Amino acid sequence: MEDMWLECIRCRKKFPWNIVIYTCDHCGALLDVKYHFEEPKPERWREKPLSVWRYEDFLPRVREKVSLNEGGTSLHRCKRLAEKLGVENIWVKNEGENPTGSFKDRGMTVGVSLAKELGSRTVACASTGNTSASLAAYAAKAGLKCVVMIPSGKIALGKLAQAIMYGALVLAVEGNFDQALSLVEQSSKRLGLYILNSLNPYRLEGQKTIAFEVIEQLGQPPDAIILPVGNAGNISAIHKGIVEWKQLGLIEQVPRLIGIQAEGAAPIAHAYKKKEKEVVFVENPETVATAIRIGKPVNWEKALRAVYDTNGAAETVTDEQILQAQKLLARTEGIFVEPASAASIAGLVKLLDAGLVDKNERIVCVTTGHGLKDPDTPIRTCEKPIQIKPDLEAIEKIVAQ
Ligand code: AN7
């Protein structure tokens, strides 16, 4: 594919598309996938169903797509939530509707297809849960061996259930996500593992389709897109998609990208607030939202670029705010998301209160993972079922209250 190559985001050094490389051998920064795009022809994709591969004109070409039918998630108009928050227009892009219940599937359909294209036999990742669930599924579909490293005891139950059911080799590392990712990176060369964390530029190509779908579902770009940030791949991917469509003349306006981090794991939000160009990593990240319990986001540089270039923002929310937002969304809109995803709603609430988001803006919150991923949280935070005798009077008493 002469029209596609990899390029360092810092020193711009170019690399061929078909070598296994994740960081620049000159300056150490991450890479982007670059293309010589042809003039876009919307009629080529308009008739295809909403999905990742609807946008294949903007994706790497592969001989075999490893797909479970990912993307095409709903963009829910949230009238009751908007009313509660006193604003006009809120939509939720519910990525929990993907095949394994998170946005990671968009990345994996492209990333695992590339793994096959490049002849890899074994794929691997470190994960706070969703990446491992998704990679395990796509590896199974592709017939590849899969190794996942998770922080021991710190991933939600549903995600663990998925990874083991799909047959991955699951290693519970006695340490946090950042340590697990470092181990994956160190062992990848020696063991011939193809890494599918978000430092893999091809994975982000799949995830940029969130931006394309939102734009097409709304008929135009929103004013702001708010999303949770952990390893910061998703905000970087969405930014890349938007920039590409802007450069191709498919959109004029660029939405502000607003990343939300949990207070105990917020290196990017802290850097943004100080208007820094570099981040200070957090050594011992902590949050109830285990999906984003990440202190050393590999994509920090791409993420800061996304925020600064779009006049966006990065903000922190407390665990309490996250759990409140999770209930609020479930109980006003019928959308049950995992705690990390609720960070986007919590962030919106905080930014509205602070006057940093305008009441008239058209806002899209991306909810990244399904609520059933983490059944322990509602069991802990919601009302317990009321135990009763099988007796009509007892029921009437309680229901009439
Ligand atoms: C539900 O699974 O990092 O900022 O290893 O599962 O792109 O990292 C998960 C991240 C947001 C953050 N919401 O996305 C993993 C992992 C949910 C997530 C994020 C994650 P990035």
Side-chain angles (χ1 to χ4, degrees):
M1 279 180 265
E2 278 165 21
D3 52 356
M4 181 172 83
W5 67 99
L6 300 172
E7 190 172 299
C8 173
I9 61 167
R10 202 182 293 155
C11 76
R12 304 284 168 204
K13 181 166 175 185
K14 292 180 170 62
F15 303 89
W17 71 271
N18 57 351
I19 57 170
V20 176
I21 184 171
Y22 310 102
T23 50
C24 176
D25 63 6
H26 176 65
C27 76
L30 292 184
L31 310 173
D32 265 340
V33 181
K34 293 280 186 179
Y35 310 81
H36 289 300
F37 286 120
E38 288 171 19
E39 172 109 10
K41 297 193 178 70
E43 63 275 12
R44 280 174 50 87
W45 68 84
R46 284 276 148 81
E47 298 303 316
K48 294 183 191 167
L50 203 65
S51 62
V52 168
W53 292 103
R54 171 184 169 99
Y55 303 104
E56 63 183 316
D57 287 2
F58 307 94
L59 295 173
R61 267 200 296 281
V62 289
R63 279 167 294 181
E64 185 192 337
K65 293 171 188 139
V66 181
S67 174
L68 293 164
N69 192 21
E70 47 293 313
T73 58
S74 305
L75 185 70
H76 297 279
R77 178 82 192 256
C78 294
K79 285 199 173 152
R80 277 169 38 82
L81 179 66
E83 211 167 285
K84 260 245 149 71
L85 301 181
V87 299
E88 297 288 323
N89 297 304
I90 302 175
W91 289 265
V92 161
K93 179 68 170 162
N94 190 22
E95 289 292 294
E97 295 171 23
N98 275 296
T100 78
S102 85
F103 71 101
K104 306 283 182 182
D105 296 342
R106 292 182 188 269
M108 290 307 172
T109 186
V110 176
V112 173
S113 297
L114 253 296
K116 283 220 104 169
E117 193 78 26
L118 297 172
S120 307
R121 295 271 177 78
T122 309
V123 289
C125 70
S127 179
T128 58
N130 281 324
T131 300
S132 65
S134 183
L135 180 58
Y138 284 83
K141 179 83 179 174
L144 299 175
K145 209 173 148 193
C146 177
V147 181
V148 307
M149 301 193 201
I150 54 170
S152 182
K154 289 288 188 177
I155 85 165
L157 197 61
K159 304 174 187 179
L160 181 60
Q162 289 177 291
I164 57 182
M165 177 54 84
Y166 292 128
L169 175 65
V170 179
L171 306 178
V173 177
E174 293 171 11
N176 61 29
F177 168 84
D178 304 303
Q179 291 165 307
L181 182 54
S182 165
L183 285 170
V184 169
E185 288 185 65
Q186 288 171 49
S187 56
S188 70
K189 267 235 165 73
R190 217 164 353 146
L191 300 177
L193 310 175
Y194 186 66
I195 306 178
L196 276 155
N197 281 99
S198 53
L199 52 76
N200 182 317
Y202 291 115
R203 220 195 80 190
L204 298 190
E205 289 306 287
Q207 289 175 212
K208 78 186 180 188
T209 59
I210 293 177
F212 301 158
E213 286 190 9
V214 165
I215 291 164
E216 292 208 301
Q217 284 171 305
L218 272 182
Q220 60 185 323
D223 297 313
I225 298 178
I226 306 182
L227 72 159
V229 169
N231 222 6
N234 211 29
I235 193 167
S236 310
I238 290 173
H239 179 232
K240 185 168 188 286
I242 287 167
V243 168
E244 286 174 353
W245 272 25
K246 166 95 176 152
Q247 284 171 350
L248 289 167
L250 285 163
I251 55 169
E252 281 174 20
Q253 183 213 343
V254 168
R256 298 203 287 144
L257 292 181
I258 302 179
I260 310 296
Q261 295 199 290
E263 204 169 67
I268 291 169
H270 290 317
Y272 168 76
K273 286 179 182 220
K274 291 192 202 136
K275 298 284 174 268
E276 299 280 0
K277 294 236 159 67
E278 309 234 335
V279 305
V280 179
F281 291 149
V282 173
E283 281 306 321
N284 295 303
E286 245 351 306
T287 166
V288 67
T290 51
I292 50 173
R293 187 173 166 270
I294 294 172
K296 302 179 178 173
V298 282
N299 291 288
W300 64 269
E301 197 171 347
K302 290 185 180 183
L304 282 181
R305 194 174 57 174
V307 166
Y308 290 131
D309 283 4
T310 63
N311 192 27
E315 187 53 88
T316 63
V317 289
T318 65
D319 281 0
E320 187 53 40
Q321 289 168 329
I322 287 173
L323 295 174
Q324 269 179 14
Q326 186 188 25
K327 267 191 205 166
L328 178 68
L329 182 63
R331 292 171 184 202
T332 54
E333 298 293 343
I335 302 172
F336 177 24
V337 303
E338 65 168 287
S341 305
S344 62
I345 307 294
L348 169 61
V349 172
K350 185 171 176 184
L351 292 165
L352 280 168
D353 285 346
L356 295 170
V357 165
D358 200 81
K359 290 198 182 318
N360 305 316
E361 284 186 71
R362 291 163 312 129
I363 297 153
V364 171
C365 290
V366 183
T367 55
T368 41
H370 200 288
L372 287 174
K373 293 271 191 178
D374 179 4
D376 293 321
T377 294
I379 299 297
R380 218 171 42 241
T381 60
C382 295
E383 301 80 355
K384 305 274 172 291
I386 301 165
Q387 203 77 23
I388 57 157
K389 297 267 182 290
D391 173 277
L392 203 56
E393 254 178 58
I395 293 176
E396 279 177 2
K397 240 191 224 155
I398 291 166
V399 175
Q401 265 177 12

